[in-house]
Amino acid sequence: MIFPASALTVLTDPRTEIRDDRVRIPFELDRPVYEQVDKVLKEMGGRWDGRTAIRAHVFAYRIEEFMRQCLTAGEYPSKNEQGWYATPPALVTQLVDAAGIFAGHTVLEPSAGVGALTGEIVKRGGLVDAYEIDERRADILRAQGDCRRVFAGDFLAQDPMEYAEGFDRIVMNPPFANGLDHIVHALQFMKDDGHLVSVMSRGLMWWSDRKSVEFRELVEEVGGDIEPLPDDSFAVSGTNVRTCLVFVPGYAGSRLRTHDWLMRQPRQLDLFDVAA
Ligand SMILES: C[S@@+](CC[C@H](N)C(=O)[O-])C[C@H]1O[C@@H](n2cnc3c(N)ncnc32)[C@H](O)[C@@H]1O
């Protein structure tokens, strides 16, 4: 949801204190403006605590970094906006640690939001290509200047064969609604010996549809892991969706349909090409 202009002005005012788990506005507001700010903060999960020592909107989790992401984006999550739920800082560290990124690694972030993951990946020396379907968020990613390339568009429509080679690492937190489609598509952009790390709806651990079952079997076969994340992992981002962390390590000869696997296919077809 887009911040009303007056609420955005108040929340970005340097006098407004956004620290730890609370937002405190230590100056007078007109009644209508106060009501708008109060509405936004409550929609984001805050609760007004009027005790003299506090007088702030208090959140159940650290709001500071997440609020920074929202104010940068000019919006806060709503279920109707392509599932934008920024990855909270602690989880960003966990995902990027799990990916094992070294300086010079090429890294794909295929649903980058406003860069919660890309910022940390770049700090570790990764060269990031980012996709984001929402033009406003893609513009924010470009303005941040961290990524090697930013593509505004539908990652699922991107042909992996347009890349000459795969990525060393894929780090992602795709929309919860069709996360597995994003992960399976993303694997086609990975080198044979790359790693993919993703957040996913926890349902992946037990869904019985063929695609989920086959994916779990494949992850086990390559020595990967699907582990539950704490229930409140995304509470700070305004959703109680339960999630898991997916880790897929590639290696030469595995059954993963990686970028290298795709590249090998035309050579195999050449065997049947009479003119070859
Ligand atoms: C759950 S948010 C995560 C954002 C970011 N990865 C992060 O960790 O903070 C998912 C993001 O994917 C974007 N998205 C949804 N469908 C997409 C698609 N088909 N291609 C590219 N981006 C997409 C949404 O706009 C949203 O910003």
Side-chain angles (χ1 to χ4, degrees):
M1 289 156 81
I2 306 292
F3 283 106
S6 57
L8 193 58
T9 305
V10 171
L11 291 169
T12 51
D13 187 302
R15 293 170 295 171
T16 298
E17 296 165 14
I18 305 175
R19 264 183 229 125
D20 298 331
D21 64 347
R22 61 197 61 178
V23 177
R24 194 170 153 272
I25 298 157
F27 50 93
E28 287 293 316
L29 299 178
D30 292 343
R31 188 78 209 162
V33 175
Y34 173 78
E35 280 170 4
Q36 265 192 336
V37 175
D38 179 58
K39 181 165 177 276
V40 166
L41 293 175
K42 285 181 174 156
E43 279 171 353
M44 292 180 80
R47 154 186 77 74
W48 170 249
D49 187 331
R51 284 177 290 174
T52 321
I54 299 182
R55 300 198 57 74
H57 284 81
V58 179
F59 293 76
Y61 305 91
R62 288 176 63 89
I63 185 72
E64 195 174 340
E65 177 55 32
F66 177 58
M67 182 65 89
R68 207 186 333 270
Q69 296 260 354
C70 293
L71 294 175
T72 307
E75 61 174 312
Y76 52 103
S78 100
K79 290 193 174 59
N80 309 319
E81 301 205 59
Q82 293 116 359
W84 178 57
Y85 290 106
T87 309
L91 192 49
V92 168
T93 309
Q94 187 178 351
L95 282 166
V96 179
D97 281 351
I101 291 165
F102 297 112
H105 267 164
T106 53
V107 186
L108 174 67
E109 212 295 26
S111 42
V114 294
L117 290 165
T118 56
E120 186 60 27
I121 297 165
V122 169
K123 274 192 210 151
R124 315 263 181 122
L127 305 168
V128 185
D129 279 12
Y131 285 78
E132 171 51 53
I133 202 165
D134 182 280
E135 298 268 357
R136 289 165 304 164
R137 292 194 272 275
D139 282 345
I140 291 166
L141 287 167
R142 285 197 194 99
Q144 287 165 349
D146 287 336
C147 298
R148 181 173 68 168
R149 284 181 289 209
V150 173
F151 301 97
D154 180 359
F155 171 63
L156 295 176
Q158 175 64 43
D159 178 357
M161 289 297 91
E162 283 179 18
Y163 281 88
E165 61 175 36
F167 289 83
D168 295 305
R169 299 288 184 265
I170 298 174
V171 186
M172 57 197 292
N173 169 14
F176 296 124
N178 60 343
L180 187 53
D181 293 338
H182 281 253
I183 292 175
V184 170
H185 191 60
L187 280 170
Q188 300 181 88
F189 292 75
M190 189 175 90
K191 286 181 180 167
D192 265 353
D193 60 354
H195 291 174
L196 178 146
V197 177
S198 181
V199 176
M200 199 26 231
S201 166
R202 202 185 296 166
L204 179 63
M205 300 186 76
W206 59 79
W207 286 333
S208 58
D209 64 285
R210 191 169 161 177
K211 191 169 186 175
S212 304
V213 173
E214 284 181 0
F215 182 74
R216 286 197 299 270
E217 286 169 2
L218 197 54
V219 171
E220 194 177 342
E221 186 181 310
V222 298
D225 200 12
I226 304 178
E227 63 176 64
L229 288 165
D231 286 357
D232 58 1
S233 290
F234 277 84
V236 69
S237 303
T239 176
N240 288 323
V241 65
R242 293 182 178 189
T243 51
C244 62
L245 191 146
V246 178
F247 174 62
V248 188
Y251 57 85
S254 83
R255 273 203 306 127
L256 293 173
R257 298 203 163 197
T258 59
H259 190 273
D260 289 324
W261 182 89
L262 286 175
M263 293 295 276
R264 284 190 293 273
Q265 302 315 299
R267 283 202 290 276
Q268 288 177 8
L269 290 176
D270 283 348
L271 293 174
F272 302 99
D273 186 347
V274 182

